[in-house]
Amino acid sequence: MTVPAPPPPDLAEAQPRGRFQRVSLRNRVTWLAAVCVAGAVALVSVAAFVTVRDSLYQQLDDNLVERAVEAAEGPLVRTSDLQQVPVAFFNATNFKITVLSADGFQFGPKGQRPPLSFAELAVARGQVPQSRRTDQETNSRVVAVPAGQGAALVMSTSLDPTQRTLAQLSVVLVVMGGAGILLAAAAGTAVARAGLRPVQRLTAAAERVALTGDLRPIPVEGDDELSRLTTSFNGMLSALAESQERQRRLVADAGHELRTPLTSLRTNLELLMASSRPGAPSLSEEDREEMLADVQAQVTELSALVGDLVELAREDTPQAVHEPVDLVDVVERALSRARRRAPRTEFDVRLAPWEMMGDATALERAVLNLLDNAAKWSPEEGRVRVELLPDPASGQVVLEVADSGPGIAPADRPYVFERFYRSSDARTLPGSGLGLSIVKQVAERHGGSVWAGEAPEGGALLRMSLPGGPPQTEQQ
């Protein structure tokens, strides 16, 4: 028995959500402005209509009661000559009037008598001081006031003029409210179009970057939030362009540096393989050993270069550094490794206690690169001065490494920390040209800096400044 697969449970919900997501932000802003204005107009219109209606009805009641009181005190009611008043007078004044006695008898002009009820009879009998009511059948307002001698004067007027005024007012409010809503929608559209223009430029720029890789900045206009967003986006584009340029330069420099040892390694290997073939001229043992030594040196150089490239790529990646580091221990570990690599070099060490937040492994690699560089340039039985001392002016610690070699030419000092830079004197020595660039990367990642100059001993002086402070026990 085959059971049909049930439909996806969220299919019905996905369609309305998709339709909502297809509404653009500009339309949503327009609708929001229109709805807000419509709500405000509706509240104001209802409040104005209710206020005017209550005021008109109150004025109508006050006017009707005032006229009824004046008529009750007038001579026509007292002399019972109310029936002698012409009917045209009541038609012109839009009033109907009659005198109602306590036994229910009424006298007044025929055809102009107001509708009566028990409310008016209660006034005539003295049970209530006056009455006000609306007669639904005749659509009129009826009031009754005492007329003396056990009678009440009843007067009414039609509500048609008042209701026509209210109807006109409602039409005016609806028309003006609708015009206000349309105006608000138009203004919302204009504001949304003007306000979202920078967003559209950002969207077009992002699409352009995704399609073409073009990282040109976007023109910035004004100083509002969207302009600051555009400025931030331009900063991101500049950082991305700089990162791409660094990557291209790194790849180009790495390819150039790798080409020479690979070419030499391939040549030596081809010669060794050719000499082992039948009928080929054989190599002497001395030449073979020299080629094998050259191959071993090239492999060692390639390994060092690949290791430096990996380290440099790792240093380029932003990393959060929150590990407490004792800088003295870092320098001492690097010194022990440097002494093993250069056993004939003497290291004159002077270290002051210092602590900081950082990456101990990266710091040790940077210090070791400084020591290896000094040992490489120092003569045999040479002396390298290593000092870690606080700098009161900057509040940082300065690691100085000075050698007794030939020093760095003033023209080369601004470039010694760049990748793959090697002076004319250093091109004949082993190395990849990445050691000091790794030192610069580590120092800058930890909030420090590097500097190259001339040592008092006559050789090169390299400085690395790092933040931090003395241990807490010494500060106390």
Side-chain angles (χ1 to χ4, degrees):
M1 178 178 181
T2 303
V3 180
D10 55 345
L11 184 59
E13 298 178 359
Q15 293 178 353
R17 185 178 303 174
R19 287 195 296 268
F20 177 77
Q21 290 178 351
R22 285 195 295 268
V23 178
S24 65
L25 181 58
R26 181 191 304 174
N27 293 336
R28 276 182 274 178
V29 172
T30 301
W31 283 108
L32 179 62
V35 169
C36 291
V37 172
V41 168
L43 290 176
V44 172
S45 300
V46 170
F49 183 82
V50 171
T51 302
V52 172
R53 184 195 63 183
D54 293 344
S55 177
L56 288 178
Y57 280 126
Q58 185 64 38
Q59 291 179 4
L60 179 66
D61 284 353
D62 294 342
N63 186 31
L64 193 58
V65 170
E66 182 179 359
R67 289 179 178 270
V69 171
E70 291 178 356
E73 296 176 354
L76 294 178
V77 175
R78 295 183 182 277
T79 59
S80 300
D81 292 336
L82 196 59
Q83 294 181 353
Q84 300 179 4
V85 179
V87 175
F89 172 78
F90 296 100
N91 291 332
T93 57
N94 195 25
F95 288 111
K96 294 182 179 181
I97 188 171
T98 187
V99 175
L100 179 65
S101 63
D103 55 3
F105 178 76
Q106 59 175 326
F107 62 93
K110 295 182 179 180
Q112 294 298 323
R113 294 177 181 178
L116 300 176
S117 67
F118 290 103
E120 290 79 20
L121 187 60
V123 175
R125 294 174 179 176
Q127 297 175 353
V128 294
Q130 63 176 224
S131 67
R132 303 180 186 184
R133 68 181 182 87
T134 299
D135 187 72
Q136 300 295 337
E137 294 182 0
T138 59
N139 193 28
S140 59
R141 189 69 173 167
V142 183
V143 299
V145 296
Q149 300 178 358
L153 188 139
V154 182
M155 184 177 291
S156 69
T157 185
S158 176
L159 293 176
D160 292 339
T162 303
Q163 292 177 348
R164 283 195 297 270
T165 301
L166 292 176
Q168 293 175 357
L169 176 62
S170 62
V171 171
V172 171
L173 291 177
V174 170
V175 172
M176 295 302 295
I181 294 173
L182 294 177
L183 182 61
T189 302
V191 171
R193 182 180 292 109
L196 296 178
R197 190 173 294 115
V199 178
Q200 293 175 350
R201 288 201 299 267
L202 288 177
T203 304
E207 293 175 350
R208 185 192 71 214
V209 171
L211 292 176
T212 65
D214 186 4
L215 301 179
R216 288 176 299 174
I218 306 171
V220 181
E221 299 176 358
D223 57 352
D224 54 0
E225 290 80 1
L226 291 176
S227 300
R228 290 197 294 271
L229 176 61
T230 305
T231 303
S232 301
F233 188 81
N234 287 338
M236 183 187 67
L237 291 179
S238 300
L240 184 58
E242 183 180 356
S243 176
Q244 288 185 351
E245 180 61 27
R246 285 200 307 267
Q247 290 177 1
R248 285 193 294 266
R249 190 167 61 248
L250 178 61
V251 171
D253 294 341
H256 177 73
E257 291 294 328
L258 289 170
R259 188 178 297 114
T260 300
L262 285 175
T263 302
S264 177
L265 185 61
R266 184 178 62 183
T267 302
N268 291 329
L269 289 176
E270 287 177 352
L271 288 175
L272 290 172
M273 292 174 62
S275 64
S276 63
R277 293 173 183 170
S282 61
L283 295 175
S284 63
E285 190 66 24
E286 181 180 355
D287 291 340
R288 183 179 294 274
E289 290 180 358
E290 183 179 353
M291 286 185 179
L292 290 176
D294 193 11
V295 168
Q296 185 177 3
Q298 295 296 337
V299 170
T300 303
E301 183 178 353
L302 281 175
S303 300
L305 180 58
V306 171
D308 288 341
L309 286 174
V310 171
E311 183 69 19
L312 198 60
R314 189 180 71 87
E315 294 296 337
D316 277 344
T317 305
Q319 298 177 5
V321 180
H322 298 291
E323 178 185 1
V325 175
D326 186 346
L327 205 54
V328 174
D329 292 342
V330 170
V331 176
E332 289 179 347
R333 288 197 302 267
L335 279 169
S336 64
R337 296 172 62 183
R339 288 190 177 102
R340 289 194 301 268
R341 296 184 181 184
R344 296 185 179 182
T345 302
E346 179 184 356
F347 291 92
D348 184 9
V349 182
R350 180 184 175 192
L351 305 178
W354 194 265
E355 291 182 350
M356 61 177 295
M357 301 296 292
D359 186 351
T361 303
L363 289 171
E364 183 179 345
R365 177 64 184 270
V367 175
L368 181 60
N369 287 353
L370 290 175
L371 298 177
D372 286 344
N373 182 79
K376 180 176 67 175
W377 287 99
S378 296
E380 291 189 9
E381 308 297 336
R383 183 169 173 268
V384 175
R385 176 171 56 87
V386 181
E387 291 186 349
L388 181 68
L389 299 176
D391 183 12
S394 62
Q396 295 185 336
V397 69
V398 177
L399 175 64
E400 286 190 356
V401 179
D403 58 57
S404 53
I408 304 174
D412 294 331
R413 291 173 189 173
Y415 309 106
V416 294
F417 293 102
E418 292 186 2
R419 296 172 180 173
F420 298 105
Y421 180 80
R422 303 178 72 181
S423 64
S424 57
D425 298 334
R427 291 172 185 171
T428 58
L429 297 177
S432 62
L434 293 176
L436 294 183
S437 63
I438 293 177
V439 175
K440 180 182 178 182
Q441 294 281 353
V442 173
E444 291 180 349
R445 184 159 64 91
H446 288 80
S449 59
V450 291
W451 178 83
E454 183 179 357
E457 295 85 350
L461 175 62
L462 300 179
R463 289 180 179 174
M464 181 172 63
S465 300
L466 295 171
Q472 295 294 330
T473 55
E474 292 199 2
Q475 291 181 353
Q476 295 175 355

